Amino acid sequence: MDFAQAVKTCLNKYATFSGRAQRSEYWYFFLFMIVVNIVASVLDSIIFGDMPLLYLIATLALIVPSIAAGARRLHDTDKSGWWLLLGLIPFVGAIVLIVFFCQRGTVGPNQFGGDPLQVSLSNPHMARA
């Protein structure tokens, strides 16, 4: 899955917490969120000075799809989306989640659905190197 396809998928699945997300889908969307927040911050400093209006709007617009993508990514590793609550534990929670997000997903179907890598490899329109 390439960058544009990952962003499109995550935004189309805005509040879809079921199913699975492969690593590339999650990490490309994570990169997209970072870029959007940096651009919003720069524009805020140029247009509004110290008031982070665009940054807050971008953050609020992307919070639901980021949580949904995180839950789907955890599902790919056969873990419940509730593991996202580990992020509330300072430092340690973020490290554990990063390890989970970097793990290869379950090969074949698991309790959360079919393997997204097998689906993308079987569809030539979806597979790109």
Side-chain angles (χ1 to χ4, degrees):
M1 179 172 289
D2 64 9
F3 181 81
Q5 189 177 20
V7 171
K8 182 179 177 183
T9 299
C10 287
L11 292 178
N12 283 338
K13 293 181 177 181
Y14 189 86
T16 303
F17 296 88
S18 61
R20 294 168 63 175
Q22 56 186 294
R23 283 181 287 194
S24 60
E25 177 183 333
Y26 177 79
W27 288 111
Y28 278 139
F29 189 68
F30 186 82
L31 176 62
F32 170 74
M33 290 187 312
I34 290 171
V35 170
V36 166
N37 283 330
I38 289 170
V39 169
S41 294
V42 169
L43 289 175
D44 275 336
S45 66
I46 292 170
I47 298 170
F48 301 111
D50 290 335
M51 190 169 66
L53 182 64
L54 296 175
Y55 179 83
L56 289 173
I57 291 170
T59 300
L60 289 174
L62 294 175
I63 194 149
V64 172
S66 69
I67 293 170
R72 290 193 313 273
R73 179 69 205 123
L74 287 169
H75 290 171
D76 193 39
T77 61
D78 209 16
K79 292 174 182 58
S80 169
W82 289 105
W83 280 97
L84 284 173
L85 293 175
L86 280 177
L88 297 174
I89 301 171
F91 190 67
V92 174
I95 290 172
V96 171
L97 284 175
I98 288 170
V99 169
F100 286 166
F101 291 149
C102 290
Q103 290 178 341
R104 187 188 191 298
T106 306
V107 177
N110 67 17
Q111 64 179 327
F112 300 103
D115 188 345
L117 282 178
Q118 288 179 344
V119 171
S120 66
L121 291 176
S122 65
N123 184 349
H125 299 291
M126 299 288 287
R128 296 181 191 210

